[in-house]
Amino acid sequence: MPVSSSKEWFGSAKEWLQTVGLKDAIAYLDSNPERNIPKILHWIEVFDRRKMFANQIEATKRVLTDKSSNWYQLVMSLYTDIDPGVRKKVFENFLIYGNFIGWQRQKENRKKYDCNIPWAILMDPTTACNLKCTGCWAADYGHKMSLEYDTLADIIRQGQELGVFIYIFSGGEPLIRKDDILKLCREFSDCIFLAFTNGTLIDDAFTDAMLEVKNFVPAISIEGFESATDSRRGKGTYQRVINAMQLLKSKKLLYGVSCCYTRNNTEVIGSEEFFDYIIDLGAKFAWFFTYMPVGVDATPDLIATAEQREFMYHQIRKFRSTKPIFTLDFWNDGEYVNGCIAGGRRYLHINANGDIEPCAFIHYADSNIHQKTILEALQSPLFTQYKERQPFNENHLRPCPLLDNPPALAEMVEAAGAYSTEMLSPENVRTLCGKCVNAAEEWSKVADRLWTDHIVVNK
């Protein structure tokens, strides 16, 4: 056997043995989670000989051994509220393939190819959508573009070779392609698939299919309560969203919410009343995004003020220690991931035209999946610019090259010779960055104060 294939065989065999052991551990945990959580954490420490997850394991041990903590309550709710088959599949795919096996492959490939390798790939099956929401850029792509099933499947196969087992769908409305998404879930049963969806196409038949495949998790967009949601998404949308959430809860399916906070709804999105409401509806996680003025018709007037962004910073951190829901704040959590995660550092975006973009909010590219592989795109000038310049600010509360450091994006796009991927109305990158200058200046004053306080507290 040649040396290279011998190494590949050994690596595969080692991954297989680790997978079997971790699957046994998950099954053991299922038998009595309350009693076996401490034992499982010890086993994970034994598996993690390279100490790749030492900090995460220690943090997990602290919160999951305190039965009064909100984190303990959240974990226990996964055993009372979620279908056992779904829970087992999600745990296996996310923990074993998405992180334990995947992370090792990603690390090896970063070193081998000297480029960023993502943890997750975000892709748009279609630009079509059944809604037209204020401030959404989807319409700027047009409504007729889509990625063929074979292309979607090939993206996943390429990603798995690099160590990527987490795939996220956006759009447009991805559930317009329900059948293809479910087919992908079946074909790639070791992956986790998540979709940012408006939720209005979730029905009995689709939730039954979710119970069958077990590895699909929706994140439903909601803008707050009825008036805020309907004002942006259209009259009657809120009730359809709530109906979908109630249906998912009744079927014991795992789901979360996706919330965009703007100048008009931040105080509602960040309120305790809203958090309690989505928890009561059965959401187990929540993504928070701040509005970005992407697209030629987008208005900077919807950008949250610096005071509102600080409000979300404090509210989400407060609720992380009190509420049984997992939260991610796409911008304000930069301190936990050392700044921007785009450009393939932790994720990239492939739009429905096949353009491989560094971020879902950065509509510029120098590669297309129909002409280049994912690896070739990661080694392209634009993604290389990201790798060389990250982080974009020493203050990781100012992570973004557009919203927080607008000249950085323009410089990278121009240096790479990248093109605008907005098919209907291409936008000059300097014009886009200009929309964010005032917001960036105002946030810098607040963020620098918060960052200084953070450094002092953690000394």
Side-chain angles (χ1 to χ4, degrees):
M1 181 181 292
V3 173
S4 59
S5 59
S6 173
K7 286 182 178 179
E8 289 173 6
W9 179 89
F10 178 77
S12 298
K14 186 177 179 182
E15 284 185 359
W16 180 81
L17 289 170
Q18 290 173 332
T19 299
V20 170
L22 288 169
K23 284 185 177 180
D24 286 344
I26 289 172
Y28 178 71
L29 177 60
D30 257 358
S31 66
N32 191 327
E34 191 168 9
R35 182 191 66 195
N36 293 334
I37 281 176
K39 296 179 182 179
I40 294 296
L41 290 172
H42 173 70
W43 289 357
I44 293 173
E45 283 185 298
V46 172
F47 273 109
D48 187 29
R49 291 189 177 90
R50 300 183 188 179
K51 303 300 179 185
M52 293 172 64
F53 305 105
N55 292 336
Q56 295 94 317
I57 292 169
E58 186 56 38
T60 303
K61 285 170 68 176
R62 282 198 305 270
V63 298
L64 292 188
T65 52
D66 178 6
K67 294 186 178 181
S68 65
S69 77
N70 59 307
W71 290 103
Y72 185 86
Q73 294 167 22
L74 174 60
V75 170
M76 288 300 106
S77 77
L78 299 178
Y79 290 89
T80 58
D81 301 351
I82 305 301
D83 174 84
V86 171
R87 181 182 62 246
K88 181 174 181 289
K89 172 60 76 172
V90 169
F91 275 14
E92 286 182 356
N93 289 8
F94 183 79
L95 296 173
I96 298 175
Y97 297 104
N99 285 282
F100 200 84
I101 300 298
W103 194 264
Q104 293 180 69
R105 286 192 198 174
Q106 293 161 29
K107 184 178 180 181
E108 291 165 1
N109 284 318
R110 287 185 192 108
K111 183 177 180 180
K112 180 178 179 179
Y113 297 113
D114 190 30
C115 64
N116 282 335
I117 300 292
W119 174 78
I121 291 177
L122 177 66
M123 51 188 175
D124 301 346
T126 180
T127 56
C129 186
N130 60 325
L131 300 179
K132 185 171 176 59
C133 304
T134 303
C136 179
W137 64 73
D140 294 329
Y141 279 132
H143 293 278
K144 296 181 180 178
M145 288 187 291
S146 64
L147 294 174
E148 296 296 327
Y149 180 86
D150 288 345
T151 302
L152 294 168
D154 187 56
I155 289 169
I156 296 169
R157 280 190 286 269
Q158 290 184 49
Q160 286 181 316
E161 290 183 9
L162 296 172
V164 183
F165 291 85
I166 311 294
Y167 295 89
I168 305 172
F169 299 113
S170 57
E173 170 49 50
L175 293 190
I176 286 176
R177 298 280 299 280
K178 283 181 185 179
D179 292 344
D180 282 339
I181 287 175
L182 291 170
K183 186 177 177 182
L184 290 169
C185 290
R186 295 183 184 101
E187 182 173 351
F188 300 96
S189 61
D190 54 356
C191 293
I192 282 285
F193 296 95
L194 182 143
F196 291 118
T197 170
N198 62 44
T200 61
L201 300 179
I202 294 174
D203 55 19
D204 265 312
F206 186 69
T207 52
D208 287 343
M210 287 176 61
L211 283 169
E212 177 219 330
V213 298
K214 299 178 177 58
N215 58 342
F216 176 80
V217 181
I220 299 176
S221 298
I222 187 167
E223 308 298 321
F225 295 109
E226 187 166 17
S227 61
T229 298
D230 283 0
S231 67
R232 188 175 181 208
R233 297 183 176 272
K235 187 173 177 58
T237 302
Y238 175 79
Q239 192 54 57
R240 295 168 70 187
V241 168
I242 298 304
N243 291 343
M245 294 168 75
Q246 290 172 335
L247 178 60
L248 290 162
K249 182 180 180 181
S250 72
K251 297 285 184 76
K252 291 198 164 188
L253 284 161
L254 179 64
Y255 82 93
V257 297
S258 171
C259 304
C260 176
Y261 57 94
T262 72
R263 193 165 302 193
N264 296 337
N265 71 344
T266 297
E267 288 73 19
V268 174
I269 289 286
S271 70
E272 185 166 16
E273 181 185 9
F274 180 70
F275 266 73
D276 289 341
Y277 185 56
I278 60 175
I279 292 169
D280 186 60
L281 284 166
K284 299 302 180 186
F285 64 89
W287 292 76
F288 292 92
F289 302 90
T290 192
Y291 172 76
M292 296 282 281
V294 177
V296 293
D297 295 326
T299 171
D301 293 340
L302 279 176
I303 298 176
T305 66
E307 292 75 19
Q308 288 175 319
R309 189 164 164 183
E310 180 180 12
F311 169 76
M312 292 301 294
Y313 172 92
H314 291 301
Q315 288 295 94
I316 290 175
R317 280 158 180 74
K318 179 176 71 174
F319 294 145
R320 278 182 182 150
S321 63
T322 58
K323 305 291 183 185
I325 187 169
F326 182 78
T327 55
L328 304 98
D329 187 338
F330 200 71
W331 273 264
N332 287 343
D333 282 346
E335 63 178 292
Y336 303 120
V337 290
N338 298 322
C340 173
I341 62 171
R345 180 168 168 259
R346 291 293 177 265
Y347 97 106
L348 58 79
H349 178 236
I350 304 175
N351 70 22
N353 190 51
D355 299 304
I356 306 172
E357 301 168 335
C359 175
F361 300 96
I362 304 300
H363 296 174
Y364 299 90
D366 61 0
S367 305
N368 188 286
I369 198 64
H370 300 300
Q371 285 87 43
K372 291 185 181 180
T373 65
I374 293 171
L375 179 59
E376 288 171 337
L378 289 165
Q379 296 172 321
S380 72
L382 183 57
F383 280 79
T384 299
Q385 284 284 317
Y386 265 78
K387 180 178 183 293
E388 292 176 349
R389 296 182 62 140
Q390 287 166 324
F392 298 106
N393 200 301
E394 292 182 0
N395 180 343
H396 296 324
L397 296 178
R398 299 167 59 191
C400 182
L402 172 57
L403 186 62
D404 303 320
N405 308 278
L409 176 65
E411 291 164 6
M412 290 191 297
V413 167
E414 291 170 351
Y419 55 87
S420 171
T421 59
E422 295 194 30
M423 296 294 102
L424 297 184
S425 303
E427 185 170 28
N428 180 277
V429 68
R430 292 284 173 179
T431 302
L432 172 62
C433 289
K435 297 177 185 177
C436 298
V437 170
N438 291 338
E441 289 177 354
E442 291 303 309
W443 173 242
S444 69
K445 303 168 189 174
V446 176
D448 287 348
R449 169 174 51 79
L450 291 171
W451 188 247
T452 299
D453 293 344
H454 167 81
I455 292 171
V456 170
V457 168
N458 288 278
K459 272 188 177 180

